[in-house]
Amino acid sequence: AGVGRHDTPLALDADVRLTKHAELTRCAKRQMACATPQLTAWVTDACVRYEHDAQLSQAVGRLLGALLMLRKHGPLQEGGDAEVPSGKGAVPPEEETGKSANAATETLLLQALLPLMKQHRPNAQIQRDCCSAIGCYARSACDAARRVARCGGTKALLFAMRSQIQKAEVQTVAVAGLRAICGGGRACIKVLVAANTAPMLTAVLKRHEREMQLQADGCAVLAMLVLPQSIAIGGGGRVS
């Protein structure tokens, strides 16, 4: 009597397991962040080496996506512990070096991910995982969205939509990725227009009219293509 539902031994044991899992996850992220240079070199080579093996390519694609997100939010960013010098707008040289290294690595990872999608266009699982990775990365920051647009990520998403037109799960993450790219600003929206995004997107919206998230993201993209200066982007950003 008097013991709450959350104070039971079973609930306490579940809390302990969740805490241990969180600690293991943080530890794994730290280890991956430290090993990112070696992993990047290996995974970009693996994309070519295993390009004809769909199962291995799928695993490599997921690893590429994980590495992309680590480079944006990893606990061990280069120059992350450097002291900020006094003076308005001053940036530590170590931080600038770290950002440049991150940008180069992210570009390398994207350049490995996109050919993987091209090689396995009929594979819905690979297309979905890679589209999801591109979207998550583009959503993480404006510079990430611009990098995706520069590297050809827009066309990769559109080709995935075309090759998997009947797969709602692929369309949902691909359209979300297009919306994330719009967050990079007017230059990114111009890339979407030049890639003939509107006709492909219209066809997808018509075919999957019961997919609410897809409809929401798709309508947002179409609106931003038409009114790029006045439509707010999801996530609190605004195209400028």
Side-chain angles (χ1 to χ4, degrees), residues 179-229:
R179 186 176 186 179
I181 291 174
C182 288
R186 247 181 311 190
C188 290
I189 292 176
K190 287 180 180 179
V191 172
L192 266 70
V193 172
N196 292 320
T197 298
M200 185 73 248
L201 192 51
T202 303
V204 168
L205 290 173
K206 184 177 180 181
R207 180 178 286 268
H208 299 283
E209 58 185 11
R210 295 188 179 183
E211 299 293 330
M212 294 299 102
Q213 188 59 55
L214 189 158
Q215 293 290 320
D217 288 335
C219 288
V221 173
L222 288 175
M224 284 185 274
L225 294 180
V226 176
L227 300 170
Q229 295 183 358

Side-chain angles (χ1 to χ4, degrees), residues 1-8:
V3 177
R5 182 173 59 86
H6 296 293
D7 297 327
T8 61

Side-chain angles (χ1 to χ4, degrees), residues 125-172:
Q125 187 69 45
I126 290 177
Q127 297 300 314
R128 188 192 70 176
D129 290 345
C130 291
C131 287
S132 178
I134 290 173
C136 288
Y137 174 69
R139 204 157 29 246
S140 66
C142 287
D143 66 308
R146 297 186 190 108
R147 193 166 294 118
V148 169
R150 284 196 300 268
C151 290
T154 300
K155 286 189 176 181
L157 292 173
L158 291 172
F159 275 120
M161 292 165 67
R162 180 182 298 176
S163 64
Q164 301 293 331
I165 189 69
Q166 296 181 348
K167 300 288 186 180
E169 62 273 21
V170 176
Q171 302 301 325
T172 299

